[in-house]
Amino acid sequence: GNLAWGVTWMDLKDHFRAAGDVVHATVFKDGERSKGCGLVEFSNEADAQTAIDRLNDSFLKGRVMFVSEDNGAGGAAGAGGAAAGSGSRRTEAAAHDAATNRVFV
C-alpha cells in the first residue's frame, strides 16, 4: 500500500519487473480516484517472494510503498480474487496456493 495517487498499472508493472516476470498489475480505484493500493501478479511464486524481499519499502513516484503477500482480503475480490465471505468453496490451502504468486502493494 501507500501508493502515490498518480501511480498507474503501467507504473506498477514497470517497477515490479525488477523482481521477475509480471503477468498483471492493478491499481484499485474508487471511480476515477486511486485507493493508494493494488495487486501485482507474477508468473511464479519465487518472483512474488523476490518482490516482497527487494521492493518492500522502495520508492515509486516519490512515495515509499509497502509490499506483502496477497492474502485475498480487501480489494483482491475486485481483481478476480476471492475475498473472505465471498461464497468461495475453495479450501484454505487452495486459496493460499492461488494467492502466493500475487503481492499486495
Side-chain angles (χ1 to χ4, degrees):
N2 200 43
L3 295 177
W5 301 123
V7 170
T8 67
W9 68 267
M10 290 177 284
D11 297 324
L12 277 182
K13 192 168 186 176
D14 289 344
H15 187 76
F16 278 84
R17 281 188 179 137
D21 183 27
V22 176
V23 174
H24 185 78
T26 301
V27 174
F28 297 133
K29 293 186 174 191
D30 185 11
E32 292 298 313
R33 182 180 173 175
S34 170
K35 290 185 174 185
C37 58
L39 280 179
V40 178
E41 182 179 353
F42 291 89
S43 63
N44 60 70
E45 296 174 21
D47 289 350
Q49 187 60 51
T50 299
I52 294 167
D53 296 342
R54 293 185 185 169
L55 299 177
N56 186 44
D57 292 331
S58 66
F59 284 84
L60 180 59
K61 291 206 170 187
R63 288 189 73 171
V64 66
M65 68 177 156
F66 310 114
V67 181
S68 60
E69 182 179 325
D70 174 41
N71 63 10
S86 67
S88 173
R89 296 282 181 193
R90 296 186 299 168
T91 66
E92 187 173 319
H96 175 74
D97 287 345
T100 56
N101 68 331
R102 294 190 313 245
V103 296
F104 178 79
V105 294

